[in-house]
Amino acid sequence: MPFLRTILARLAATLVTLFGAAVIVFVVIRVVPGNPIAMMLPPGATEDDIARLQALYGLDKSIFEQFVIWLGGVVRGDFGTSISLRQPVLNLVLGRLPATLELSIMALVIAVFIGGAMALTGTLRRDTRTEAAIDVTSGMALSVPDFLWGLILILLFGVLWPVFHISGRVSPSLDFDFQTQFYLFESVLRLRFDVWADLVSHMFMPSLALAIPLAAIISQLLKQSLKETMHLDYVTLARTKGYSEASVITREALPNAVLPTLTLIGVQFTFLIGGTVIIERLFSYEGLGNMAIDAVINRDLPLIQGIVILFALLFTVVNLVVDMTYAALNPRLRHA
Amino acid sequence: MSFLEVENLTLRIARGPRILRAVSLGVDQGEVRGLVGESGAGKSMIGKAILGTLPRAIQVVSGRISLDGTDLQTLPARERRRRIGAQVALIPQDPLTALNPVRRVGPQITNRLVDILGWDRSRAEARARELLDEVHIPDPDRVMRSYPHELSGGMRQRILIASAFAAEPKLIIADEPTTALDVTVQKQILRLIKEMQDRHNTALLFVTHDLGVVSKICQSLTVLYAGKVIEDTDTRSFFAAPGHPYSQALLHATPKYTDPEDSLTPVPQHVIDAVEAEVTDFDKGLGA
Ligand SMILES: Nc1ncnc2c1ncn2[C@@H]1O[C@H](COP(=O)(O)OP(=O)(O)O)[C@@H](O)[C@H]1O
Ligand SMILES: [Mg+2]
């Protein structure tokens, strides 16, 4: 059963990765200066008050002991209690995850559409000025990081031509009782397109800012791969059958050209998820990333740990999905 | 007038040398014409020019290509592509690279019928089954569901032959269709192409550098050197007495036609010099 063995090996690798990530954050956030208890108490608090609270949160023990206690909790599904928000970390983190997932996936979809369209157009018009223009555009898109794109978009669509919401996830004036945290998804399922439009108007700029660099990478990688594929014999054979150049590209070349770019796009997508931390802050979007920054400012150790573990888990899931997609699209692996 | 007429076709690499020099040849319905020449002589370029798949770097300087009396150049691009797809088919050189690795074999045989000629799918599939049977592939249904990597090279070439004949083309261009195969399979594939051509009474332009093959299946042949037609004749008179010194030398360089006692004689230098001079004269005549 090579398939089962692959799955088990992947699972083991995932656990090792997560454990490693846990150890590193655990140590780092306890070594850097800043006392979470001192920060949550009013200025007049005595040494005694601080010591009492530290004991309450177990922060008076050694790092090793704290880690063992924390790990014991995690095994039972208890990630501790947030010091600044005084709620279970697991609830807080899972409550914010959908917002970040929706934003990241929307960004991915935008990036695939823009980048894919650029790659296809560039291949169709290869060796012309159009291709050169596409190369210049993607080069420029890549030389500006996502948070600067965020600022540029705010200037464009928030200030100069204010058509989109600059901050938040949903207009508070909107009288809608969400049953889940997947707002966008839920608004579609419940056919409330007014709510959907409001959500999209909030998500448009942050997701576009995240999408632009990824779109540029997709455009470059996919176009390169497509152009190499266009020289292959089966593509030429399809041309002799009477297909137009556009059909030859989309029907024959694309399914093959996508494969080698898939893995790289997967890696880039995990970078995009990392980018949500700053972008969410910039647009006051209530997701995991925004919560992460607050947690760091407040030295909220249990919350930081929970968020980091969740991000690490997210990255491994993305990589797993990429590998599975690759295998599903490649008949040579599917039957191996 | 033949079904395929190539007249005075001259190609060049953009801002570079000529690739074809006023090439003329015709292939009629039911005729098998060999296109012979050393590697690099421009044989494949003739096929590509007919099929409309010339590399971007190659320019058509002058010449006409017509199918059934219609000059392809007079047709709008879309119609030209469609016409070629409907009337001409290619049997490629390397069956290992000529099938799309991520698609099943069945759709690769039927796609021209369905997408270009507008057949409905079930009729096209029935036709594909029939063709796979014609090219002696057992269990057509299983093969149609297979991916190319699951099949041998000989099997894939049979599939490509079936696919080439699918739309009952008037003309087939076979570009060295056996060179990439095992020696044992080469004969079978050659016989199969000839058998299919006979049955469908197709015009066949058979590109090869092997005069032995020409003697077996071709009625006529065109000898090419450096993109220039050296000789255009019927097979019988060619093998009786080649008309051009270069053709003679080529014949002597072919194993079957030399005395087994005699070691193979490569084309002698003075013959090459003479034919090179002809090419240079041709280019001078055109002022280049
Ligand atoms: N893509 C290309 N760009 C420029 N020159 C080419 C290209 N492909 C082939 N040629 C040149 O065209 C000439 C004829 O090539 P070809 O028709 O492939 O020869 P063959 O007779 O072996 O089939 C050769 O000299 C080759 O170098
Ligand atoms: Mg060739």
Side-chain angles (χ1 to χ4, degrees), chain B:
Chain B
M1 175 135 92
S2 308
F3 174 76
L4 167 73
E5 291 278 355
V6 175
E7 294 163 79
N8 284 315
L9 183 64
T10 298
L11 305 180
R12 70 184 303 164
I13 297 177
R15 291 183 297 276
R18 290 196 178 81
I19 297 286
L20 293 183
R21 297 174 157 87
V23 167
S24 295
L25 60 81
V27 191
D28 210 350
Q29 191 185 10
E31 177 184 352
V32 182
R33 173 173 289 270
L35 183 53
V36 198
E38 296 164 53
S39 171
K43 306 182 295 293
S44 296
M45 284 300 156
I46 295 179
K48 286 177 183 168
I50 297 165
L51 290 161
T53 57
L54 284 174
R56 283 167 184 239
I58 308 278
Q59 294 175 336
V60 179
V61 179
S62 60
R64 256 168 58 107
I65 297 172
S66 42
L67 295 181
D68 213 5
T70 308
D71 181 353
L72 289 176
Q73 214 46 57
T74 61
L75 299 174
R78 227 182 113 87
E79 171 57 19
R80 180 167 62 234
R81 241 187 351 251
R82 222 198 78 88
R83 181 81 62 104
I84 293 170
Q87 301 194 341
V88 188
L90 171 71
I91 300 176
Q93 180 161 6
D94 186 354
L96 298 189
T97 55
L99 287 166
N100 191 330
V102 305
R103 305 181 75 183
R104 290 177 200 276
V105 163
Q108 301 197 54
I109 302 174
T110 56
N111 61 2
R112 180 194 325 240
L113 303 176
V114 175
D115 299 331
I116 309 297
L117 302 175
W119 291 30
D120 69 51
R121 196 164 295 281
S122 56
R123 180 172 161 226
E125 276 168 15
R127 170 81 177 139
R129 241 171 258 127
E130 193 180 298
L131 279 156
L132 289 177
D133 204 47
E134 279 189 41
V135 298
H136 314 298
I137 287 182
D139 202 354
D141 284 296
R142 188 187 60 81
V143 169
M144 282 169 66
R145 280 192 310 271
S146 307
Y147 285 95
H149 73 271
E150 298 168 323
L151 306 167
S152 70
M155 198 71 150
R156 290 190 227 181
Q157 194 59 303
R158 283 172 195 274
I159 288 161
L160 287 160
I161 291 167
S163 170
F165 280 91
E168 291 290 355
K170 299 279 178 29
L171 168 70
I172 298 241
I173 297 172
D175 191 348
E176 310 210 31
T178 63
T179 29
L181 299 172
D182 285 351
V183 187
T184 47
V185 187
Q186 288 186 355
K187 272 199 187 126
Q188 298 169 17
I189 294 295
L190 193 65
R191 203 179 312 128
L192 177 65
I193 292 174
K194 178 63 184 150
E195 178 190 326
M196 292 292 282
Q197 182 270 335
D198 266 340
R199 182 179 304 142
H200 296 266
N201 200 28
T202 324
L204 173 60
L205 182 62
F206 196 96
V207 175
T208 179
H209 55 255
D210 184 351
L211 281 172
V213 169
V214 173
S215 74
K216 283 198 198 87
I217 66 165
C218 300
Q219 284 114 52
S220 55
L221 80 164
T222 300
V223 181
L224 211 59
Y225 181 88
K228 191 173 181 305
V229 174
I230 297 297
E231 183 157 7
D232 177 341
T233 179
D234 65 284
T235 311
R236 197 183 306 256
S237 36
F238 181 86
F239 285 97
H244 192 282
Y246 176 73
S247 311
Q248 276 166 15
L250 212 57
L251 198 53
H252 280 288
T254 306
K256 275 234 167 121
Y257 298 89
T258 47
D259 190 336
E261 303 293 295
D262 218 21
S263 60
L264 284 186
T265 37
V267 180
Q269 192 56 45
H270 70 271
V271 176
I272 293 182
D273 291 343
V275 73
E276 279 292 344
E278 275 184 46
V279 170
T280 315
D281 282 351
F282 174 88
D283 284 358
K284 275 205 194 107
L286 289 172

Side-chain angles (χ1 to χ4, degrees), chain A residues 3 15 37 47-48 51 53 56 113 123 136 216 227 263 267 275 282 285 304 309 320:
Chain A
F3 183 66
L15 285 178
I37 305 298
E47 292 285 322
D48 267 5
L53 267 173
L56 184 66
F113 270 94
T123 309
V136 170
K227 282 174 72 179
T263 320
V267 172
L282 194 58
Y285 184 88
I304 297 175
I309 294 295
L320 194 65

Side-chain angles (χ1 to χ4, degrees), chain A residues 281-303:
Chain A
R281 192 64 168 190
L282 194 58
F283 290 91
S284 310
Y285 184 88
E286 309 235 302
L288 262 186
N290 211 342
M291 185 184 254
I293 291 182
D294 285 333
V296 170
I297 291 173
N298 294 322
R299 300 290 189 275
D300 191 337
L301 306 185
L303 189 53

Side-chain angles (χ1 to χ4, degrees), chain A residues 84-274:
Chain A
S84 57
L85 300 170
R86 292 169 210 187
Q87 288 178 44
V89 166
L90 193 63
N91 293 359
L92 287 170
V93 162
L94 289 183
R96 286 292 185 95
L97 176 64
T100 297
L101 278 184
E102 284 193 342
L103 186 66
S104 310
I105 291 171
M106 184 160 161
L108 178 65
V109 171
I110 293 175
V112 166
F113 270 94
I114 297 179
M118 285 168 76
L120 290 171
T121 312
T123 309
L124 189 61
R125 303 256 173 273
R126 58 193 177 283
D127 308 323
T128 66
R129 291 215 184 119
T130 311
E131 192 195 359
I134 285 173
D135 289 342
V136 170
T137 309
S138 57
M140 276 177 4
L142 265 181
S143 58
V144 177
D146 48 14
F147 59 90
L148 278 184
W149 281 118
L151 289 175
I152 293 169
L153 289 173
I154 288 175
L155 281 178
L156 284 178
F157 298 115
V159 178
L160 282 180
W161 186 44
V163 280
F164 296 107
H165 291 281
I166 318 181
S167 84
R169 188 177 180 201
V170 64
S171 300
S173 59
L174 209 68
D175 190 20
F176 187 70
D177 190 17
F178 288 103
Q179 301 296 311
T180 68
Q181 292 297 318
F182 288 96
Y183 288 4
L184 195 65
F185 194 57
E186 186 181 339
S187 71
V188 174
L189 282 189
R190 287 167 66 178
L191 304 177
R192 285 292 300 270
F193 295 106
D194 53 331
V195 178
W196 181 84
D198 181 75
L199 288 163
V200 169
S201 168
H202 281 89
M203 293 167 74
F204 177 75
M205 283 194 283
S207 57
L208 187 59
L210 289 166
I212 287 172
L214 182 59
I217 291 171
I218 292 177
S219 158
Q220 289 184 350
L221 291 178
L222 186 60
K223 178 158 73 65
Q224 184 57 36
S225 180
L226 275 169
K227 282 174 72 179
E228 282 163 17
T229 312
M230 292 309 286
H231 295 294
L232 300 181
D233 288 350
Y234 58 82
V235 174
T236 306
L237 191 63
R239 228 179 249 132
T240 70
K241 290 179 179 178
Y243 287 101
S244 67
E245 192 67 8
S247 315
V248 168
I249 293 173
T250 53
R251 303 171 56 106
E252 301 292 327
L254 187 60
N256 289 281
V258 159
L259 286 175
T261 60
L262 209 56
T263 320
L264 284 165
I265 291 170
V267 172
Q268 294 299 329
F269 181 55
T270 59
F271 291 165
L272 183 152
I273 295 175

